[in-house]
Amino acid sequence: MSKSEKEILSMKRMFDIVASLVGLVFLWPLLAVIVVLIKIEMPGPIFFVQKRVGRKGKLFTIYKFRTMTLGHGGSTVSVKGESRITPLGAKLRKYKLDELPELWNVLIGDMSFVGPRPDMPEYYDLLKGEEQKILELRPGITGTASLKYANEEELLSTVPDPVKYNKEIIWPDKVKINLDYYYNNTFLGDIRIIFQTVFR
């Protein structure tokens, strides 16, 4: 790793720590309201907790607000309008509010604000050769692939086999986008992606 690459990583990590801490402090009233709404509308756990693949291929625990019914037994691919997604959950997902607890993942170093979205281990087992360079990055709350597929759930709802379409079309395209990000990411580029995510 070159000196400039190390400097970018250092700046990025410092930004992640400061911004996630500020976000948690200033957004706590909103977080508290969402917690109360989930307890009222969706009896059961407040958080969705799952193992995802992080930097260097290490597993970590991701935290999100729960948006689905308990014991639904569905696939790992989510489609807009599914019965397992509750009415409150649909609103949280629409505005990405279910991902706010990931600020904690960013603060403790499991994730970054910008990077490839963390997926299930079975997807990363599909990475071959150069594609595995993606695992050198911290996974992100948002990223270039996330921006392109911001309407992923709506897109999947229009195809006959969402799981197959995701595996054969969307996932390979995300890998290409994330590999391009690996080679071309900059600190200012990350700031631009964050603004595009917020104001899209």
Side-chain angles (χ1 to χ4, degrees), residues 154-169:
E154 290 86 344
L155 174 61
L156 289 173
S157 69
T158 66
V159 299
D161 190 336
V163 175
K164 181 179 180 181
Y165 189 86
N166 180 68
K167 185 175 181 179
E168 296 181 358
I169 304 297

PDB file of all heavy atoms in Angstrom, residues 154-169:
ATOM      1  N   GLU A 154     -37.690  -2.239  -5.690  1.00  0.00           N
ATOM      2  CA  GLU A 154     -38.705  -2.003  -6.716  1.00  0.00           C
ATOM      3  C   GLU A 154     -38.358  -2.758  -7.997  1.00  0.00           C
ATOM      4  O   GLU A 154     -39.222  -3.355  -8.646  1.00  0.00           O
ATOM      5  CB  GLU A 154     -38.827  -0.508  -7.015  1.00  0.00           C
ATOM      6  CG  GLU A 154     -39.446   0.311  -5.894  1.00  0.00           C
ATOM      7  CD  GLU A 154     -38.412   0.767  -4.868  1.00  0.00           C
ATOM      8  OE1 GLU A 154     -37.293   0.218  -4.855  1.00  0.00           O
ATOM      9  OE2 GLU A 154     -38.727   1.673  -4.085  1.00  0.00           O
ATOM     10  N   LEU A 155     -37.071  -2.736  -8.361  1.00  0.00           N
ATOM     11  CA  LEU A 155     -36.620  -3.440  -9.559  1.00  0.00           C
ATOM     12  C   LEU A 155     -36.878  -4.936  -9.444  1.00  0.00           C
ATOM     13  O   LEU A 155     -37.386  -5.578 -10.385  1.00  0.00           O
ATOM     14  CB  LEU A 155     -35.124  -3.178  -9.778  1.00  0.00           C
ATOM     15  CG  LEU A 155     -34.426  -3.936 -10.912  1.00  0.00           C
ATOM     16  CD1 LEU A 155     -35.063  -3.585 -12.250  1.00  0.00           C
ATOM     17  CD2 LEU A 155     -32.936  -3.628 -10.924  1.00  0.00           C
ATOM     18  N   LEU A 156     -36.543  -5.511  -8.301  1.00  0.00           N
ATOM     19  CA  LEU A 156     -36.728  -6.952  -8.105  1.00  0.00           C
ATOM     20  C   LEU A 156     -38.201  -7.349  -8.118  1.00  0.00           C
ATOM     21  O   LEU A 156     -38.533  -8.494  -8.449  1.00  0.00           O
ATOM     22  CB  LEU A 156     -36.072  -7.380  -6.790  1.00  0.00           C
ATOM     23  CG  LEU A 156     -34.540  -7.367  -6.777  1.00  0.00           C
ATOM     24  CD1 LEU A 156     -34.012  -7.633  -5.381  1.00  0.00           C
ATOM     25  CD2 LEU A 156     -33.984  -8.390  -7.757  1.00  0.00           C
ATOM     26  N   SER A 157     -39.066  -6.412  -7.760  1.00  0.00           N
ATOM     27  CA  SER A 157     -40.501  -6.728  -7.751  1.00  0.00           C
ATOM     28  C   SER A 157     -41.071  -6.857  -9.157  1.00  0.00           C
ATOM     29  O   SER A 157     -42.206  -7.328  -9.331  1.00  0.00           O
ATOM     30  CB  SER A 157     -41.278  -5.639  -6.981  1.00  0.00           C
ATOM     31  OG  SER A 157     -41.267  -4.413  -7.693  1.00  0.00           O
ATOM     32  N   THR A 158     -40.304  -6.471 -10.179  1.00  0.00           N
ATOM     33  CA  THR A 158     -40.801  -6.513 -11.561  1.00  0.00           C
ATOM     34  C   THR A 158     -40.314  -7.730 -12.334  1.00  0.00           C
ATOM     35  O   THR A 158     -40.695  -7.917 -13.491  1.00  0.00           O
ATOM     36  CB  THR A 158     -40.360  -5.239 -12.325  1.00  0.00           C
ATOM     37  OG1 THR A 158     -38.924  -5.243 -12.465  1.00  0.00           O
ATOM     38  CG2 THR A 158     -40.798  -3.982 -11.595  1.00  0.00           C
ATOM     39  N   VAL A 159     -39.465  -8.565 -11.708  1.00  0.00           N
ATOM     40  CA  VAL A 159     -38.921  -9.720 -12.423  1.00  0.00           C
ATOM     41  C   VAL A 159     -39.535 -11.013 -11.894  1.00  0.00           C
ATOM     42  O   VAL A 159     -39.939 -11.092 -10.722  1.00  0.00           O
ATOM     43  CB  VAL A 159     -37.382  -9.768 -12.293  1.00  0.00           C
ATOM     44  CG1 VAL A 159     -36.766  -8.516 -12.908  1.00  0.00           C
ATOM     45  CG2 VAL A 159     -36.945  -9.914 -10.845  1.00  0.00           C
ATOM     46  N   PRO A 160     -39.621 -12.059 -12.738  1.00  0.00           N
ATOM     47  CA  PRO A 160     -40.258 -13.320 -12.327  1.00  0.00           C
ATOM     48  C   PRO A 160     -39.547 -14.039 -11.190  1.00  0.00           C
ATOM     49  O   PRO A 160     -40.176 -14.635 -10.324  1.00  0.00           O
ATOM     50  CB  PRO A 160     -40.213 -14.158 -13.623  1.00  0.00           C
ATOM     51  CG  PRO A 160     -40.050 -13.170 -14.727  1.00  0.00           C
ATOM     52  CD  PRO A 160     -39.225 -12.055 -14.149  1.00  0.00           C
ATOM     53  N   ASP A 161     -38.203 -14.007 -11.212  1.00  0.00           N
ATOM     54  CA  ASP A 161     -37.415 -14.714 -10.202  1.00  0.00           C
ATOM     55  C   ASP A 161     -36.400 -13.743  -9.588  1.00  0.00           C
ATOM     56  O   ASP A 161     -35.269 -13.620 -10.066  1.00  0.00           O
ATOM     57  CB  ASP A 161     -36.687 -15.901 -10.839  1.00  0.00           C
ATOM     58  CG  ASP A 161     -36.041 -16.819  -9.807  1.00  0.00           C
ATOM     59  OD1 ASP A 161     -35.757 -16.359  -8.684  1.00  0.00           O
ATOM     60  OD2 ASP A 161     -35.800 -18.003 -10.133  1.00  0.00           O
ATOM     61  N   PRO A 162     -36.786 -13.034  -8.514  1.00  0.00           N
ATOM     62  CA  PRO A 162     -35.903 -12.035  -7.900  1.00  0.00           C
ATOM     63  C   PRO A 162     -34.566 -12.592  -7.438  1.00  0.00           C
ATOM     64  O   PRO A 162     -33.532 -11.932  -7.598  1.00  0.00           O
ATOM     65  CB  PRO A 162     -36.726 -11.522  -6.719  1.00  0.00           C
ATOM     66  CG  PRO A 162     -38.144 -11.774  -7.112  1.00  0.00           C
ATOM     67  CD  PRO A 162     -38.109 -13.067  -7.871  1.00  0.00           C
ATOM     68  N   VAL A 163     -34.565 -13.780  -6.862  1.00  0.00           N
ATOM     69  CA  VAL A 163     -33.320 -14.371  -6.357  1.00  0.00           C
ATOM     70  C   VAL A 163     -32.348 -14.631  -7.504  1.00  0.00           C
ATOM     71  O   VAL A 163     -31.162 -14.302  -7.426  1.00  0.00           O
ATOM     72  CB  VAL A 163     -33.608 -15.679  -5.586  1.00  0.00           C
ATOM     73  CG1 VAL A 163     -32.293 -16.349  -5.178  1.00  0.00           C
ATOM     74  CG2 VAL A 163     -34.463 -15.398  -4.357  1.00  0.00           C
ATOM     75  N   LYS A 164     -32.845 -15.210  -8.587  1.00  0.00           N
ATOM     76  CA  LYS A 164     -32.007 -15.500  -9.745  1.00  0.00           C
ATOM     77  C   LYS A 164     -31.505 -14.213 -10.388  1.00  0.00           C
ATOM     78  O   LYS A 164     -30.330 -14.105 -10.754  1.00  0.00           O
ATOM     79  CB  LYS A 164     -32.795 -16.323 -10.765  1.00  0.00           C
ATOM     80  CG  LYS A 164     -31.995 -16.697 -12.005  1.00  0.00           C
ATOM     81  CD  LYS A 164     -32.834 -17.537 -12.968  1.00  0.00           C
ATOM     82  CE  LYS A 164     -32.028 -17.898 -14.210  1.00  0.00           C
ATOM     83  NZ  LYS A 164     -32.835 -18.692 -15.179  1.00  0.00           N
ATOM     84  N   TYR A 165     -32.379 -13.221 -10.517  1.00  0.00           N
ATOM     85  CA  TYR A 165     -32.004 -11.950 -11.145  1.00  0.00           C
ATOM     86  C   TYR A 165     -30.932 -11.247 -10.312  1.00  0.00           C
ATOM     87  O   TYR A 165     -29.983 -10.689 -10.859  1.00  0.00           O
ATOM     88  CB  TYR A 165     -33.235 -11.055 -11.269  1.00  0.00           C
ATOM     89  CG  TYR A 165     -32.997  -9.804 -12.090  1.00  0.00           C
ATOM     90  CD1 TYR A 165     -33.133  -9.818 -13.477  1.00  0.00           C
ATOM     91  CD2 TYR A 165     -32.629  -8.601 -11.483  1.00  0.00           C
ATOM     92  CE1 TYR A 165     -32.912  -8.676 -14.231  1.00  0.00           C
ATOM     93  CE2 TYR A 165     -32.409  -7.458 -12.224  1.00  0.00           C
ATOM     94  CZ  TYR A 165     -32.543  -7.505 -13.597  1.00  0.00           C
ATOM     95  OH  TYR A 165     -32.322  -6.369 -14.343  1.00  0.00           O
ATOM     96  N   ASN A 166     -31.099 -11.306  -9.010  1.00  0.00           N
ATOM     97  CA  ASN A 166     -30.109 -10.681  -8.127  1.00  0.00           C
ATOM     98  C   ASN A 166     -28.751 -11.360  -8.263  1.00  0.00           C
ATOM     99  O   ASN A 166     -27.710 -10.683  -8.357  1.00  0.00           O
ATOM    100  CB  ASN A 166     -30.577 -10.754  -6.675  1.00  0.00           C
ATOM    101  CG  ASN A 166     -29.586 -10.127  -5.706  1.00  0.00           C
ATOM    102  OD1 ASN A 166     -29.381  -8.928  -5.687  1.00  0.00           O
ATOM    103  ND2 ASN A 166     -28.940 -10.964  -4.898  1.00  0.00           N
ATOM    104  N   LYS A 167     -28.745 -12.676  -8.297  1.00  0.00           N
ATOM    105  CA  LYS A 167     -27.495 -13.432  -8.354  1.00  0.00           C
ATOM    106  C   LYS A 167     -26.807 -13.317  -9.705  1.00  0.00           C
ATOM    107  O   LYS A 167     -25.572 -13.230  -9.776  1.00  0.00           O
ATOM    108  CB  LYS A 167     -27.768 -14.903  -8.033  1.00  0.00           C
ATOM    109  CG  LYS A 167     -26.508 -15.754  -7.942  1.00  0.00           C
ATOM    110  CD  LYS A 167     -26.827 -17.171  -7.503  1.00  0.00           C
ATOM    111  CE  LYS A 167     -25.556 -18.008  -7.385  1.00  0.00           C
ATOM    112  NZ  LYS A 167     -25.851 -19.403  -6.920  1.00  0.00           N
ATOM    113  N   GLU A 168     -27.578 -13.295 -10.779  1.00  0.00           N
ATOM    114  CA  GLU A 168     -26.989 -13.335 -12.119  1.00  0.00           C
ATOM    115  C   GLU A 168     -26.794 -11.966 -12.750  1.00  0.00           C
ATOM    116  O   GLU A 168     -25.945 -11.812 -13.639  1.00  0.00           O
ATOM    117  CB  GLU A 168     -27.858 -14.201 -13.041  1.00  0.00           C
ATOM    118  CG  GLU A 168     -27.927 -15.657 -12.613  1.00  0.00           C
ATOM    119  CD  GLU A 168     -28.779 -16.501 -13.558  1.00  0.00           C
ATOM    120  OE1 GLU A 168     -29.344 -15.929 -14.523  1.00  0.00           O
ATOM    121  OE2 GLU A 168     -28.873 -17.717 -13.337  1.00  0.00           O
ATOM    122  N   ILE A 169     -27.559 -10.957 -12.326  1.00  0.00           N
ATOM    123  CA  ILE A 169     -27.497  -9.638 -12.956  1.00  0.00           C
ATOM    124  C   ILE A 169     -26.984  -8.567 -11.984  1.00  0.00           C
ATOM    125  O   ILE A 169     -25.963  -7.920 -12.235  1.00  0.00           O
ATOM    126  CB  ILE A 169     -28.873  -9.205 -13.508  1.00  0.00           C
ATOM    127  CG1 ILE A 169     -29.419 -10.265 -14.484  1.00  0.00           C
ATOM    128  CG2 ILE A 169     -28.758  -7.840 -14.177  1.00  0.00           C
ATOM    129  CD1 ILE A 169     -28.567 -10.468 -15.718  1.00  0.00           C
TER     130      ILE A 169
END
